[in-house]
């Protein structure tokens, strides 16, 4: 009723997010109520949330309004919290990839203003940090990538897809 009747005024830049709200609510209700078949409920809830996040991402990319990007990043942070609470890898991947993609896309105009040397400096610093970490790891009889892999495996050991 709220979506068909004009009970209150919705700002134009938030109208699409407000229309996506029922999908998120429906997804949460499915995950909460369908306890006897948790795997199916989680899959259905993930698919619905994935579609809603993709649609909101396209809206944020088309409008390029900061409020759209902030809203989708806040939603992704909520999903990240849910991923840690439920220990689900697919929710973790969805939330982190959404945050990274939207952040990089919204930074595109800012990156176009910098000169090429800034990016060269940034990549150089990153490569030096990786090399320093790798050398430190070799002194401790491990490589950096094996060390990171082992830590990630221990951290995500109990998590399910």
């Amino acid at each position: 009723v709220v979506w068909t009747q004009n009970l209150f005024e919705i700002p134009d830049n938030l109208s699409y997010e407000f229309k996506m709200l029922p999908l998120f609510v429906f997804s949460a209700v499915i995950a909460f109520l369908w306890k006897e078949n948790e795997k199916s409920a989680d899959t259905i809830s993930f698919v619905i949330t994935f579609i809603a996040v993709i649609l909101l991402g396209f809206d944020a990319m088309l409008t390029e309004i900061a409020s759209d990007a902030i809203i989708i990043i806040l939603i992704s942070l909520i999903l990240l919290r849910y991923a840690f609470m439920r220990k689900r890898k697919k929710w973790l991947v969805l939330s982190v990839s959404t945050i990274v993609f939207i952040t990089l896309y919204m930074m595109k105009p800012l990156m176009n203003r910098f000169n090429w040397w800034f990016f060269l400096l940034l990549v150089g610093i990153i490569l030096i940090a990786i090399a320093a970490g790798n050398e430190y790891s070799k002194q401790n009889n491990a490589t950096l990538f094996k060390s990171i892999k082992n830590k990630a495996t221990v951290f995500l050991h109990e998590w399910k897809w």
Side-chain angles (χ1 to χ4, degrees), residues 16-18 20 24 51-61 68 71-72 75 102:
Y16 194 73
E17 287 80 1
F18 194 71
M20 288 287 117
F24 288 110
I51 291 170
V53 166
I54 294 295
L55 292 174
L56 284 176
F58 282 135
D59 179 53
M61 289 187 319
D68 288 342
I71 288 171
I72 194 166
I75 290 170
I102 292 297

Side-chain angles (χ1 to χ4, degrees), residues 1-100:
V1 173
V2 174
W3 284 265
T4 59
Q5 303 294 325
N6 290 330
L7 298 177
F8 52 91
E9 193 68 31
I10 301 170
D12 289 336
N13 59 341
L14 298 179
S15 64
Y16 194 73
E17 287 80 1
F18 194 71
K19 290 176 185 174
M20 288 287 117
L21 187 61
L23 283 176
F24 288 110
V25 171
F26 183 64
S27 174
V29 167
I30 286 175
F32 182 73
L33 292 180
W34 205 5
K35 297 281 186 188
E36 61 270 358
N37 198 348
E38 184 180 348
K39 187 174 181 179
S40 297
D42 188 54
T43 303
I44 293 169
S45 178
F46 178 77
V47 169
I48 292 171
T49 305
F50 180 78
I51 291 170
V53 166
I54 294 295
L55 292 174
L56 284 176
F58 282 135
D59 179 53
M61 289 187 319
L62 289 175
T63 59
E64 294 185 353
I65 298 174
S67 63
D68 288 342
I70 291 170
I71 288 171
I72 194 166
I73 288 176
L74 287 175
I75 290 170
S76 296
L77 289 173
I78 292 169
L79 293 176
L80 185 65
R81 174 75 174 139
Y82 179 76
F84 275 93
M85 285 174 36
R86 303 285 297 175
K87 295 190 177 187
R88 301 279 189 231
K89 291 178 187 177
K90 61 185 168 187
W91 293 97
L92 179 72
V93 170
L94 174 65
S95 61
V96 169
S97 61
T98 303
I99 291 170
V100 168

